[in-house]
Amino acid sequence: SGLGDSYAPYLEATGVVNRAYAKRHGYDYVSLQGLVLGGYRNWHSTFGKVEVLHVALDSHRGYDGALILDADALLVNFDVDVASLLDDRYALTAQRVAPHP
């Protein structure tokens, strides 16, 4: 996130769970906080996600895809591999999120 430390508590909590999820399913987990890529210094952090995706897919690691989560997003069902929910016909996929109680 690019909003200073305001999302740090969320990322601290969700990072532990999301890192465990990634490990269980054999994925790399990378956490980027306040990272500015491509020189877009006055842009909201949301726009940095496009550059993060570009770097991930163009990296030497040979990723076929990337899952980008906000700091307050949490993967809760460890029995389901998120890749099984994706459709190879599309370059970008979004999921509806559950409403807050």
Side-chain angles (χ1 to χ4, degrees):
S1 92
L3 301 173
D5 293 330
S6 64
Y7 279 90
Y10 296 110
L11 187 57
E12 186 176 326
T14 61
V16 172
V17 175
N18 291 336
R19 183 180 307 276
Y21 177 93
K23 182 177 181 179
R24 176 169 178 172
H25 292 282
Y27 298 124
D28 290 337
Y29 176 87
V30 178
S31 175
L32 304 173
Q33 272 184 285
L35 185 66
V36 178
L37 296 171
Y40 306 113
R41 303 225 184 269
N42 294 322
W43 287 26
H44 188 278
S45 61
T46 296
F47 297 109
K49 292 175 185 173
V50 174
E51 187 65 20
V52 167
L53 182 60
H54 171 75
V55 169
L57 296 178
D58 199 36
S59 76
H60 68 281
R61 290 190 164 263
Y63 293 124
D64 293 324
L67 174 65
I68 298 177
L69 300 171
D70 286 339
D72 59 350
L74 185 66
L75 295 163
V76 295
N77 189 343
F78 277 43
D79 294 330
V80 176
D81 184 346
V82 71
S84 71
L85 304 173
L86 303 177
D87 188 328
D88 290 341
R89 298 175 295 166
Y90 302 103
L92 179 67
T93 303
Q95 290 296 117
R96 184 181 65 167
V97 294
H100 293 280

